[in-house]
Amino acid sequence: DVKVTQSSRYLVKRTGEKVFLECVQDMDHENMFWYRQDPGLGLRLIYFSYDVKMKEKGDIPEGYSVSREKKERFSLILESASTNQTSMYLCASSLAGGHPYNEQFFGPGTRLTVL
Amino acid sequence: RKEVEQDPGPFNVPEGATVAFNCTYSNSASQSFFWYRQDCRKEPKLLMSVYSSGNEDGRFTAQLNRASQYISLLIRDSKLSDSATYLCLGGGADGLTFGKGTHLIIQP
């Protein structure tokens, strides 16, 4: 079974703090993704990576950065947390290649609250 | 970014009934489609892939209609435990996009 883990289930930070969210997958997947999910807005893609040290902006990259130094690990960084970044953050991974191999597998999510 | 649209619902369905909902996509070049299930405050979990020829897994059937650009999910003999939000994921070489989900409530 694919396992995607995230460093924290719940996190509370203060406005202006630098926040690191870590994601690790154990299935040697090439692709990794960071989403945020908010009521009524669905899953929105922040950044994704298709290889080590590679990154691509998703739909809402502003206020975020990412790091992928190892294939199994993809980090999301909030340089200066703001209250509008309070959300559920979901990491996912997938194999490269076409259907059906590119289904995405999700971690349990990190519920981040910025005060 | 290419759109994937779903009726948000909620769909209120009596236990034992059959329910179906669709997901439309705007990119005619889309090739990959999946259905996910998401329970409240949990992560999405893959329910099934959608193949061109259709796909059936127990009470669940997924179909692709390329001419009208939608995928469908049919649930037969619905159970209380089927209550969840169902998300579709679709796209092609330019990336995959999630719909916002359809909320299903099975009522006793």
Side-chain angles (χ1 to χ4, degrees):
Chain A
D1 274 357
V2 175
K3 190 159 186 187
V4 181
T5 57
Q6 295 183 228
S7 50
S8 306
R9 294 299 301 272
Y10 300 93
L11 208 53
V12 179
K13 296 291 182 181
R14 297 210 172 271
T15 301
E17 280 192 79
K18 191 168 185 176
V19 182
F20 293 88
L21 302 182
E22 303 284 336
C23 176
V24 177
Q25 50 92 7
D26 67 357
M27 284 301 291
D28 204 34
H29 283 176
E30 291 83 6
N31 301 329
M32 296 188 75
F33 308 82
W34 274 107
Y35 294 89
R36 64 177 283 177
Q37 188 173 33
D38 302 285
L41 298 177
L43 283 160
R44 292 183 291 168
L45 182 63
I46 304 171
Y47 267 98
F48 67 98
S49 168
Y50 53 88
D51 201 352
V52 175
K53 296 192 185 294
M54 305 302 288
K55 60 184 179 184
E56 294 284 342
K57 292 180 180 179
D59 299 316
I60 51 163
E62 297 79 18
Y64 303 94
S65 62
V66 290
S67 172
R68 192 155 179 213
E69 297 297 317
K70 293 185 177 181
K71 190 175 185 179
E72 68 271 18
R73 188 179 298 269
F74 192 35
S75 303
L76 180 69
I77 302 150
L78 287 66
E79 295 290 341
S80 178
S82 63
T83 54
N84 63 12
Q85 292 178 310
T86 292
S87 187
M88 168 71 100
Y89 289 87
L90 289 154
C91 174
S93 72
S94 73
L95 283 168
H99 188 82
Y101 303 106
N102 53 351
E103 63 263 35
Q104 296 179 23
F105 297 91
F106 283 85
T110 296
R111 190 165 293 278
L112 173 67
T113 302
V114 183
L115 302 175
Chain B
R1 192 164 179 85
K2 300 297 187 276
E3 293 291 327
V4 176
E5 303 281 348
Q6 293 183 256
D7 182 340
F11 284 46
N12 289 284
V13 175
E15 189 178 8
T18 295
V19 60
F21 30 83
N22 296 335
C23 171
T24 60
Y25 59 95
S26 62
N27 182 6
S28 59
S30 295
Q31 298 172 325
S32 298
F33 303 95
F34 307 91
W35 281 106
Y36 283 76
R37 172 198 169 118
Q38 186 174 25
D39 294 296
C40 188
R41 304 180 77 82
K42 299 279 192 179
E43 74 273 23
K45 294 194 174 177
L46 181 68
L47 182 64
M48 58 200 309
S49 299
V50 185
Y51 301 107
S52 296
S53 56
N55 189 18
E56 186 172 320
D57 183 4
R59 297 182 294 110
F60 298 83
T61 300
Q63 296 207 312
L64 168 62
N65 185 317
R66 286 203 181 275
S68 300
Q69 294 186 200
Y70 71 88
I71 62 170
S72 63
L73 180 67
L74 180 83
I75 306 175
R76 289 180 297 277
D77 187 24
S78 53
K79 312 291 185 191
L80 295 176
S81 57
D82 294 333
S83 297
T85 296
Y86 291 84
L87 304 166
C88 63
L89 174 64
D94 62 344
L96 299 177
T97 302
F98 276 95
K100 293 183 180 179
T102 295
H103 188 41
L104 175 65
I105 301 170
I106 306 299
Q107 296 176 325

